[in-house]
Amino acid sequence: MARLDGKIALITGGARGIGAAHVRRFVAEGAKVVFGDLLHDRGAALAADTGAVFVPMDVTKQDDWTNAVRETVNRFGGLNVLVNNAGILRYRLLADMTEEQLRQVLDVNLIGPWLGVKAVVEPMKASGGGSIVNTSSIEGYAAAAGLSAYAASKFGVRGVTKAAAQELGRFGIRVNSIHPGGIATELALDPGVADGVGIDPDAFFKALPIPRWGEPDDVAGAAVYLASDESAYCTGTEILVDGGLLSGPGY
C-alpha cells in the first residue's frame, strides 16, 4: 500500500523545483493531485507526464484559490491535503528595497499561504479532516542580510502555522511546516542569488554536517510524511530539511 493512497492533494507552485518534486512524489505514493502555478507551459507538461491535474493559479488572488479548490473537489470528490509551496526569493538590502518589492514578497510568501489555509478549511471539514503543509524556510528561524522581506514572510508562515494548528485541530485538520535550507533549484542556483549575499555557495554547503546541497526530493519526502497518516499526532510541528545548517556553528 502506498503511503498516500486515498489522499486528495492540492499543491501550489507545482510546475518546477520543489513543487514539481512534491507533485511527482505524491502521485507515486498514490495521491490524486491537483497543482497550481503561473508557469502554464511547464505545468501542462508536468501534468501530461505524471497524470496530475494542472490549474493556472496565482496564490495572491482569492478567486484563483476558489477555482483551484473547486476543481480539486469537483474532479476527485474531496480535499485532504494542501501543500502551500509557492514562493519567491528577492535579495535586496533594506536601503535598496522598495515598498513595492517588500509587499510582493509578503503577498506571495505569506498572504498566499494564509489565503490557502482559509480556502481549504470547509472542504477539509467536509472530508473528515486533513493535513496542511506550509513551506517556511531556515530563514523562518534565522535571517540573513539582504533577506529582510523573505525572512519576514517565512517567520510569518511559522506563526500562521501555529495559530491554524490551534484553531483547526478540533476539526481533524493538522497544520505543520517544512523549513528547507539550501535546495538545488533553478532559483537558488541562479548566479545572481549568490552574488546578492556575497558567498561561495559550493564552499558553504561543503561545510555542513551533510556536506552537499539539498535536493527537491529531500523536501518532498518531508511533505509526504506530514501529508500521510504516519504523522497523525503531529500538528504545529516544524521539520527542518537543511543538512544540519542550523544545528550549530561549524568548526
Side-chain angles (χ1 to χ4, degrees):
M1 180 177 177
R3 297 166 72 191
L4 298 180
D5 277 349
K7 304 295 186 187
I8 301 165
L10 173 61
I11 300 171
T12 67
R16 65 174 179 176
I18 295 171
H22 289 329
V23 171
R24 292 184 183 280
R25 281 291 294 274
F26 274 53
V27 170
E29 292 290 352
K32 295 179 174 65
V33 176
V34 175
F35 70 98
D37 208 296
L38 290 172
L39 302 174
H40 295 195
D41 290 346
R42 295 182 69 163
L46 182 61
D49 189 41
T50 61
V53 176
F54 171 67
V55 292
M57 185 180 187
D58 180 342
V59 297
T60 70
K61 297 185 182 302
Q62 180 71 66
D63 287 348
D64 282 17
W65 275 107
T66 299
N67 178 65
V69 169
R70 183 190 301 117
E71 177 69 18
T72 305
V73 173
N74 287 348
R75 182 70 67 103
F76 296 119
L79 177 60
N80 310 112
V81 179
L82 169 65
V83 182
N84 266 319
N85 168 77
I88 59 174
L89 181 64
R90 297 287 185 270
Y91 282 91
R92 294 286 190 280
L93 295 176
L94 278 163
D96 300 328
M97 178 168 259
T98 66
E99 180 181 344
E100 181 181 5
Q101 290 168 333
L102 167 66
R103 290 184 182 277
Q104 181 188 31
V105 173
L106 295 178
D107 280 348
V108 175
N109 292 1
L110 178 56
I111 304 302
W114 186 91
L115 289 172
V117 172
K118 184 177 176 67
V120 302
V121 170
E122 291 305 319
M124 283 190 176
K125 286 166 65 176
S127 296
S131 172
I132 298 171
V133 182
N134 291 329
T135 304
S136 180
S137 168
I138 56 168
E139 293 291 329
Y141 286 96
L147 287 174
S148 61
Y150 187 77
S153 70
K154 296 303 185 178
F155 268 84
V157 168
R158 289 181 69 197
V160 169
T161 300
K162 301 290 191 184
Q166 290 286 331
E167 292 184 23
L168 302 180
R170 65 183 181 274
F171 303 120
I173 300 172
R174 300 181 295 107
V175 192
N176 298 289
S177 57
I178 299 176
H179 299 258
I183 308 299
T185 63
E186 291 177 40
L187 181 61
L189 295 173
D190 184 335
V193 169
D195 292 346
V197 291
I199 65 169
D200 177 348
D202 291 328
F204 179 82
F205 288 110
K206 285 178 182 177
L208 295 180
I210 300 176
R212 63 172 176 84
W213 283 85
E215 296 294 336
D217 207 47
D218 294 323
V219 187
V224 167
Y225 168 70
L226 290 175
S228 76
D229 294 338
E230 296 167 15
S231 60
Y233 199 53
C234 296
T235 197
T237 297
E238 301 170 344
I239 296 183
L240 282 165
V241 187
D242 71 342
L245 192 157
L246 292 185
S247 63
Y251 297 101

